[in-house]
Amino acid sequence: MSHGRGIRGIAAVVVLATGGGCSLIDSEDGSGARGAGNLSDTCQVVPPFTPNFQPELQWEWTGSTLAPEFKQVMMTPIVVEVNGDGIPDVVFSTFAGNDWREGVLRAISGDDGHDLWASMDPAHRIKAAASIAAGDIDNDGLVEICGIPHNGRGIICYENDGTFKFRSAEDAFDYNEWGGPSLADLDGDGTVEILDGNRVYSNTGALKWVGSDGMGGAQYTGPVSFAADIDQDGTQELVNGRSIYNPDGSLHCANTDIPHGFAGVGNFDGDIQGEVVVSGHGKVSLMDDNCALKWSIDIPGGCANGCGGAPTIADFDNDGTVEVAVVGDNAISMLETNGTVKWTSTIQDWSSGKSGSSAFDFEDDGQMELLYADEVSLRIYNGATGQVRFETRHSTGTTHESPIIADVDGDFAADIVVATNNTAYPPYNGIRVYHDRLEGWARTRRIWNQSAYSITNVNNDGTIPAHPVSHWLKPRLNTFHSNVANYFGDGESPYAAPDITVSELSAACSESSLNISAQIVNQGDTPVAAGLKVSFYRGNPASGGTLLGVTTLTSAIPVDGFAPVLLSVGAQPVGGANQIFVVADDDGSGSGRDTECDETNNGASAEVDVTCGAPPTSVPPVAICQNVTVNANAQCQGSGDVNNGSHDPDGQPGPFTVTQAPAGPFGLGSHPVTLTANDGAASAQCVGTVTVVDVTPPALSCPASQTVDTCDADGVAATFQASATDNCGPAPVTCSAASGATFPLGQTAVSCSAADGSGNMASCSFNVTVRPETTAPSISCPAPIVINACVEGGPVAHFNVGSSDNCGAPSVTCSHASGSTFPVGQTVVTCTATDTLGNTAACSFDVTVNSEGEGAPVPGASLGNEIWPPNHKYVDLTLADCAAPAQDTCGGSLPADQYGTILRVSSDEVEDANGNGDGRTCDDITIAANGKAFKVRAEREGTGDGRVYTVHYAINGPGGTAQSNCRVFVPHDQSGNHAVIDSGVKFCVGQGCPAGTGGSALCN
């Protein structure tokens, strides 16, 4: 019975009288006991379910203080309960950086993702990219978790709290990279085996046998095998891709015409045997239970590295036959039962091409959705059409992982769990859980215990069934890699409910007492907890019957169990109804505690002689009151009991009740309460006082201590806020210093207090520390200065030094002031800026004074000599005929023929050429051996604009060397109408001549 639903249903009773007086009265069985003809197979109360589809992130785990560097996840997580709090948990492996080989196994709560444990012992690390499996392998009532060791050899198992349990001995050809184990009672003997590819281990890690067709699995990355009774012979077989093994390890069958891969099992042809889908190495194939090939195709979308993720099997389009979803490098595809492509959609799984998908009917509308997460996106597809219903950002480098669907947080609605990492793409790492914004997804199981998951391979409590139901024989369960909407496994449903009934009602007189007894029966699917109340009435309670009393069961009632109940009351007055009603899960007011699958069968009735002789005279009840003082609660209210021992001296006629009005709660102050005691025939009253007082001090919050820097020696203003709340109204806050006040240099303690209207006080304090500004000023020195010492007493250098500071303009001093006279050589000038608080900063620069005459000279101008007439004869010239004297750094004259050296002489006309009218001469230019003089021919081409001889020379002064050039012209004529134009180097003699200007072919 749920609270406030009124009087429960009553079963009719036939009365058998055995005589007058205190006779025994028996009733018929009023239980309405469950049987094949009158109730369904289950007793459950499913809460209302309003379908909705608005996926959103519910919570995420991005790291932990436990092994914090291990926060990347790139494997299929599992959902299983590990710590006994009734909330499912998420278990997964993590790795650090990009090294997915060595991992830390973790468990977090499915409620909000908080840490439960991490297996951090480096000696027992797990292969982080491999999948894991969980189940009770040793029959201790707790699950264990098994995976692949960090070096990929054999298996490793942990207890439910993450402590190391065992590791198998290494054996030949036992390497598994990204695959993982599965759990099954392979031979049905009640002991679990651990399956790893073609290898079977005992529940202690001992190797039992190795199959003959190799480890198998995906190309280069390892297998995930599982168990199923493929041929329906009563024992399970091990399915490892293309190979099927008997429980003793002998080969049942293998199809070596197809490659190895991942397998899934379902019913594709309507017979009772299972068919096996194999996906891997670029192929997807369907085998019969004897491994005969039914069809095989290339995985759509192309493969670069033997693609093919684990297949997902379900009736996606609700046509009564199953389809297969399979993943490749570039596409996820849906295949019909016969292997034809139903639809395909572009994805990005370039990292592995071997990730997996999963399926669920989120709205329980018969239209299955397909879930898949590639390197950059998580998508939910309409399984029938391939239309994307939901897409969000995702990141992973991908191995074999797939999303999973389970009730992660214990609210019955389905949730999605996905693994993320940022090894290839940003931005996520860890575990992300999605739900519907309105929790409008179908209810489902609270478990997904292994990568190769089918809905009957594990019980709800994590135990592994010895003879699991072949799921493909039930149409709704003909799935692989899927939970099923509103299906909760073959164990107890999470919606299981009790069904409480009353039977064997009887009554008997004992002297002047009436003893009423009955059996309270639980014919539901879950126990009835202790504390159940049972009420006894004279007359039908639905029609105003009198309450005789209420009893409470002190023990629980198991499923299909019962508990006796007895009430003794005084003999009832003559007259009125003689029918007794017993109602289970009734507190006497018509309200109950338990929600049941049938709320109409909680009572039974019988005709009873209730008088048991003449009733004695009733003594009135006694009302005794007291005054009580109670503390106000968080809402500034209080309730109190003024009863101080009110009683019924004779217990007649009953029932005895005590009521208080008003019942409260009350505000602050004193409040009169009237108590009424009633024994069923008479009543008595008294008045007590309930006084509510406030003794709770305000909740006062001070700010954190603060530190303020200032430029002012007198201090600085500091602002802050202290606040208080109180359960009974305002609580003003006062502080020893006001916010915004000026605080002196040093530390000042500020104390604050708050008082509420009842005088309760709270206090707190914090510090305001004022310290002088410690930031150094900025200072900027000029670039190095170079000057010449050409005057007596040395040169003068002028410069500017820039500076600024938070506390105003700083003072600047330099080791040499601007305008100082500097000696010959290099002088370092250091400048220092000092602010008003003494903070300093310094910089330096060089002033270099060259001695007189030092430095490169300045070459003289070209004299522009002209040669005429053009008679083809040599003209002797010196460097002084071509260039004016150079000057040293102090203005001294450096004659070109004394300080100069000719480097090369060039002409803007060729040395000789046919028909150019220059006289057919060679060797037009010669340079003297001392480099001081040169000869040039007085000639020019008859058709040109005149010839330009360019002399390149170097001046070697006392302070350095400089290069320049000067020109000698041979005009076309003397008319002045034809300017001589330099046409560029055509012929050159000396050092550094351009390539190809060495002379004419006619002269060589």
Side-chain angles (χ1 to χ4, degrees), residues 705-721:
S705 295
Q706 58 177 290
T707 300
V708 185
D709 292 338
T710 182
C711 298
D712 193 340
D714 295 331
V716 68
T719 60
F720 53 85
Q721 183 175 2

Side-chain angles (χ1 to χ4, degrees), residues 540-600:
N540 192 336
S543 304
T546 301
L547 178 67
L548 299 177
V550 180
T551 63
T552 302
L553 298 184
T554 58
S555 59
I557 308 175
V559 173
D560 294 330
F562 65 90
V565 64
L566 174 68
L567 178 71
S568 294
V569 295
Q572 300 300 299
V574 176
N578 287 328
Q579 194 173 29
I580 297 297
F581 287 77
V582 177
V583 184
D585 196 22
D586 179 0
D587 62 2
S589 67
S591 297
R593 179 194 68 183
D594 292 12
T595 300
E596 304 173 53
C597 63
D598 186 350
E599 299 283 4
T600 65

Side-chain angles (χ1 to χ4, degrees), residues 456-618:
T456 60
N457 71 257
V458 64
N459 296 322
N460 291 337
D461 59 2
T463 56
I464 305 301
H467 299 283
V469 173
S470 296
H471 58 88
W472 61 88
L473 298 180
K474 296 187 175 183
R476 287 191 69 224
L477 309 187
N478 190 12
T479 63
F480 198 81
H481 281 164
S482 173
N483 261 324
V484 174
N486 292 315
Y487 177 79
F488 307 100
D490 290 333
E492 180 180 313
S493 165
Y495 301 121
D499 184 15
I500 307 168
T501 64
V502 179
S503 67
E504 301 184 21
L505 171 58
S506 64
C509 294
S510 175
E511 297 181 351
S512 61
S513 295
L514 176 64
N515 298 323
I516 308 170
S517 63
Q519 298 276 21
I520 308 301
V521 179
N522 176 19
Q523 57 183 29
D525 283 349
T526 194
V528 177
L532 184 77
K533 294 185 181 298
V534 180
S535 293
F536 297 75
Y537 296 89
R538 180 181 181 184
N540 192 336
S543 304
T546 301
L547 178 67
L548 299 177
V550 180
T551 63
T552 302
L553 298 184
T554 58
S555 59
I557 308 175
V559 173
D560 294 330
F562 65 90
V565 64
L566 174 68
L567 178 71
S568 294
V569 295
Q572 300 300 299
V574 176
N578 287 328
Q579 194 173 29
I580 297 297
F581 287 77
V582 177
V583 184
D585 196 22
D586 179 0
D587 62 2
S589 67
S591 297
R593 179 194 68 183
D594 292 12
T595 300
E596 304 173 53
C597 63
D598 186 350
E599 299 283 4
T600 65
N601 60 351
N602 284 69
S605 64
E607 290 289 337
V608 173
D609 178 2
V610 299
T611 60
C612 293
T617 302
S618 176

